[in-house]
Amino acid sequence: MTTLETDAIAAAKSLPIGYDKRMMVAAGRASGELGQRIAERLGMELTDAGLKTFPDGEVYCRYADSIRGADIFIVQSICGNEREGISANDALMELLIMIEAAVGASAHRVIAVTPWYGYSRQDKKSAPREPITARLVAKMLETAGVDRVVTMDLHAGQVQGFFSKPVDHMTAMPILTQHVKDQLGDEEDLVVIAPDAGRVKLTRNFARKVGTTYALLEKERPAQGVAEIGTVIGDVRGKVAVIVDDIIGTGGTLAAAAQTVIERGASKVFAVATHGLFAGRAFETLAASPLSGIVVTDTVPLRDGAPPLIRQLTSADILTDSVRRIFTDDSVSEIFSGENQLF
Ligand code: R5P
């Protein structure tokens, strides 16, 4: 046996049996605050990703510390962040670049924590010659080298099928049901409202959790970005209504839904949703609507200038728990006692 071989065997024997895995958390500029909240809950510092944008608009990333052998969790929703001067497309490109840099730096596992999966509404062809952009985004993430994706309240759970890598599909519904129970649980006549037929199952389960009844609105989209509410199925007269949705985009759906339930005799109307994009003139639209209060989570940073009726709750506790369990290879569905499939 050569000296080289003897040294190699000795080195292998000296490998620590209780080898310590290393975890790192970095955040892109669309989700800096959320990343910070997650890192704080883990009792860690955010890893500096050295992000900057060159004068020509290209994005650059260079991690300040070695990430060789670490599980790196990259927190980045695919959304804009006005305060950082980042658009949704910038956020996507930045996420891909952060994954590429982590793969090239020999991370053990690269996990994208992308609670708001931008482009998720483009998950099928609704008209000839349309792209399925949610699938394209999945392909791009996998091509960049992501090992796993953590996301929240996908517009359609089937988006998971666009990935060949594991997707942990979390839900903010426990946060929102608890909030409704705490704030409106004393109301005698509470009704949970589905703003369109696609959300009946979620709304029924939400109503069960809150311990009340539900009703359903029939929504039509005569054109992209235009929402019209037709029939109300169920009883809302004299009741306090809570509309439950996954996304608030332009606010058009919510404003139209709120107007309809008030016209059908509801005494008050509130809304809860996971992802508050508040695009375009959403703040003005919602401030002018009959809504008395709107609650969203921080999967998307709240734009400046939100009217006082909008409140943001954090999703960081659920996401932190997911990150911790992925790192230690523990069950993630246990966070919801298996009930995440209910939503
Ligand atoms: C639609 O299916 C979604 O669940 C939301 O209702 C929709 O994306 C909200 O969009 P907007 O606020 O622009 O009407």
Side-chain angles (χ1 to χ4, degrees):
M1 199 175 284
T2 64
T3 325
L4 210 59
E5 283 168 336
T6 324
D7 286 354
I9 291 170
K13 280 192 178 151
S14 72
L15 271 180
I17 290 178
Y19 162 71
D20 272 338
K21 284 169 72 181
R22 215 154 53 93
M23 182 204 282
M24 297 177 94
V25 181
R29 288 176 289 180
S31 297
E33 288 178 15
L34 179 60
Q36 187 62 44
R37 287 179 196 131
I38 293 173
E40 273 165 17
R41 283 164 173 75
L42 290 165
M44 312 174 53
E45 295 278 316
L46 269 185
T47 296
D48 178 11
L51 294 165
K52 63 179 179 185
T53 304
F54 289 117
D56 62 4
E58 289 182 3
V59 174
Y60 175 80
C61 162
R62 179 173 181 254
Y63 294 102
D65 304 308
S66 166
I67 54 178
R68 183 175 292 273
D71 276 359
I72 182 159
F73 292 82
I74 301 172
V75 184
Q76 176 88 318
S77 276
I78 301 172
C79 62
N81 186 338
E82 279 182 350
R83 284 187 289 276
E84 294 285 346
I86 293 285
S87 71
N89 289 331
D90 294 335
L92 172 58
M93 193 64 205
E94 189 170 271
L95 174 59
L96 296 169
I97 289 171
M98 291 175 81
I99 295 168
E100 156 71 18
V103 170
S106 304
H108 177 54
R109 286 194 296 182
V110 181
I111 300 108
V113 181
T114 306
W116 161 242
Y117 187 88
Y119 288 102
S120 55
R121 285 170 287 184
Q122 295 185 41
D123 59 355
K124 60 182 167 303
K125 276 192 178 189
S126 305
R129 297 175 297 283
E130 278 187 348
I132 304 178
T133 315
R135 178 177 60 185
L136 173 65
V137 171
K139 281 188 198 166
M140 289 161 86
L141 292 171
E142 292 196 347
T143 302
V146 80
D147 289 302
R148 186 171 202 103
V149 175
V150 181
T151 189
M152 206 164 224
D153 290 326
L154 285 166
H155 184 56
Q158 292 89 326
V159 167
Q160 291 169 82
F162 294 147
F163 287 89
S164 57
K165 301 282 181 184
V167 176
D168 294 302
H169 187 197
M170 314 312 289
T171 176
M173 288 303 141
I175 304 171
L176 299 176
T177 48
Q178 192 58 50
H179 176 80
V180 170
K181 269 192 204 167
D182 294 346
Q183 300 298 315
L184 301 170
D186 292 341
E187 296 287 348
E188 287 221 335
D189 254 340
L190 196 62
V191 61
V192 178
I193 309 277
D196 61 64
R199 308 201 68 73
V200 177
K201 182 180 160 213
L202 181 146
T203 308
R204 185 194 59 210
N205 291 330
F206 196 104
R208 276 188 191 152
K209 284 272 158 209
V210 173
T212 188
T213 56
Y214 69 98
L216 162 65
L217 307 183
E218 194 199 29
K219 181 171 88 173
E220 273 190 59
R221 281 217 186 266
Q224 264 180 2
V226 182
E228 276 178 12
I229 305 291
T231 321
V232 179
I233 303 163
D235 187 17
V236 300
R237 188 159 300 281
K239 299 190 178 193
V240 173
V242 182
I243 302 167
V244 182
D245 212 342
D246 56 339
I247 307 163
I248 303 175
T250 61
T253 299
L254 260 193
Q259 187 61 38
T260 304
V261 293
I262 289 292
E263 281 167 9
R264 300 299 163 90
S267 59
K268 263 188 172 186
V269 56
F270 296 86
V272 297
T274 306
H275 311 291
L277 299 173
F278 301 114
R281 295 184 51 77
F283 288 158
E284 289 85 344
T285 303
L286 295 168
S289 78
L291 282 156
S292 301
I294 300 169
V295 169
V296 291
T297 76
D298 57 358
T299 55
V300 172
L302 190 57
R303 282 174 56 206
D304 290 336
L309 85 155
I310 296 177
R311 191 170 155 204
Q312 195 187 51
L313 305 177
T314 189
S315 58
D317 293 309
I318 288 178
L319 292 172
T320 306
D321 211 0
S322 316
V323 166
R324 199 179 279 125
R325 285 165 181 268
I326 290 166
F327 179 64
T328 53
D329 296 321
D330 279 323
S331 161
V332 166
S333 66
E334 271 177 14
I335 298 173
F336 307 100
S337 316
E339 289 196 337
N340 47 334
Q341 300 312 323
L342 288 181
F343 293 104

